[in-house]
Amino acid sequence: MGAMEWSGGQAERPGRGRRVLVVGGGIAGLGAAQRLRAHRAFSQLRVLEATARAGGRIRSERGFGGVLELGAHWIHGPSRGNPVFELAAEHRLLREKDLSEENQRMETGGHVGLPSVTYASSGVSVSRELVAETASLFHSLIDQAREFVRGAAAPAPSVGEYVRGALRALAAGWTDREDARRLRLALMHNFLNVECCVSGTHSMDLVALAPFGEYTVLPGLDCTFPGGYQGLTNHIMASLPEDMIIFNKPVKTIHWNGSFQEAASPGETFPVLVECEDGGCFPVHHVIVTVPLGFLKEHVDTFFEPPLPTEKADVIRKLGFGTNNKIFLEFEEPFWEPGCQHIQVVWEDMSPLEDVASQLQDVWFKKLIGFWVLPSSESVHVLCGFIAGLESEFMETLTDEEVLLSLTQVLRRVTAPDTVCRGSHTSDVLLHHTRGSAVWLEGGRPAHCSAGSPGPAARAPALSPAPPLLCQGEADTVLSSDSIWPGLRFGDVHDSLPFVVTGSSSHFSRLSLSLARAELDPSARSSWRNETQDATAAAEGMHIKCVKASVSPRP
């Protein structure tokens, strides 16, 4: 196999040194290159990055009037001993309060902080006392699960099974009313979903109990980068020679344990040859592989030649690597109170002690753990939702419209109509998961009205007509808000999306209606109200009072 000469514009220091190639330009690859660069023995150093940018799953974009973290979000345990925190502090990337001794001494136990407000699916606000009490109980069970790493025999194979077993025993002694008991279990279910996001897994049943405590929890109150997490990788990049990183250079195969030569180094052999997708080859003495685990899982049988030893390949196959998605929603006006940081959403029909068989399309949004309030401007207010697991992956298969409508429905369901519909709207949604690129969705108003778009590369086409809203009605029926969603006033709706409404024997023309899909009983004639106003320019973001359905023959 032919080899590409080891050449480039990087000025090499005296002495030939050992050739080292780093595969992957994420923070692990950049960190390895920076560390090796400090040693004279590794003067011949290159980094191959498959994409056009460095940073990997650390990616910050400007949008919605501020910074959006499309990948890594927080520094967990920001205190001495945390290398990410120490680098961020060295480069002055954090706020003064995050650098304070008080913040570094905060003991969180690795648990997510309490929400500012908790909404139940029935629309009620859950008391903070109940949330705090239930969170304390859940965190104690997680802390107990971490103790088995010290040598005690694990009583269950997984963390999920252990927590459910302990919770079932505790719940047997509860004396609450049935509705209060269900609410407490619904909170527990949400906290388990939060733990799924923390652990990057679909279910805590997939997380082994015995080694669960191996993760070291450092003190410090989780913090963010005011200028974006990517500032960290930018500083590392700035410390490296400009031509050290070769972009758009995906690696095809790493040939190792061999003897390779190149014309520029007669008589010298190299044990590794890195072959790229474009046919280029790099003979080196050492290679450091920092590609994501998901990539290794997909290519473990072809990425190394000869194949890795069985025990190493098996570890790659067995290690878990889940999906986390972020969802950004923009509002012209917030429905949450000033100072609110975290909105929790719990579903009262969900319990960790019950396994309800349901289709993902019917329940995927119930895995959503809630929303975090991002820093905002006077005109732009943004929530960031988190969802993990198979439900998160299912969401990726939905159309832009379906995701937007489902989330709008969730917020309208769990919050009172006179708050969430008070002129607010979810006009922009940004979907992102750690294995792929961001997708920008627009809805509710024309594209040119959107504020703070992340740029053409991250934008998708504007919303097309949404899926059918299924209703039953007669010809020329004028639909009121109560016909679609009881208790919601059309006058409260600011923006809207296009829908198609079908009847039992007719096909209605396209309507403008700012609601998710619903299905009405055709015998419930009283649910239709004879209002007379037609829709008013909803696509331009104006208020609508009601919608008139014009009828044409079914195609």
Side-chain angles (χ1 to χ4, degrees), residues 79-112:
S79 55
R80 292 182 181 85
N82 183 327
V84 176
F85 172 75
E86 291 177 347
L87 278 172
E90 176 186 342
H91 296 301
R92 302 178 183 274
L93 299 175
L94 302 177
R95 303 175 184 88
E96 286 300 321
K97 67 173 184 177
D98 299 324
L99 296 170
S100 68
E101 289 294 330
E102 179 183 6
N103 191 84
Q104 294 184 52
R105 288 196 298 267
M106 290 283 288
E107 292 288 350
T108 66
H111 305 303
V112 175

Side-chain angles (χ1 to χ4, degrees), residues 447-475:
H448 67 269
C449 293
S450 296
S453 303
R459 299 187 65 169
L463 285 172
S464 56
L469 175 71
L470 302 178
C471 300
Q472 301 288 342
E474 300 298 330

Side-chain angles (χ1 to χ4, degrees), residues 527-538:
S527 65
W528 304 97
R529 292 198 310 208
N530 286 321
E531 312 242 353
T532 57
Q533 292 176 282
D534 293 340
T536 60

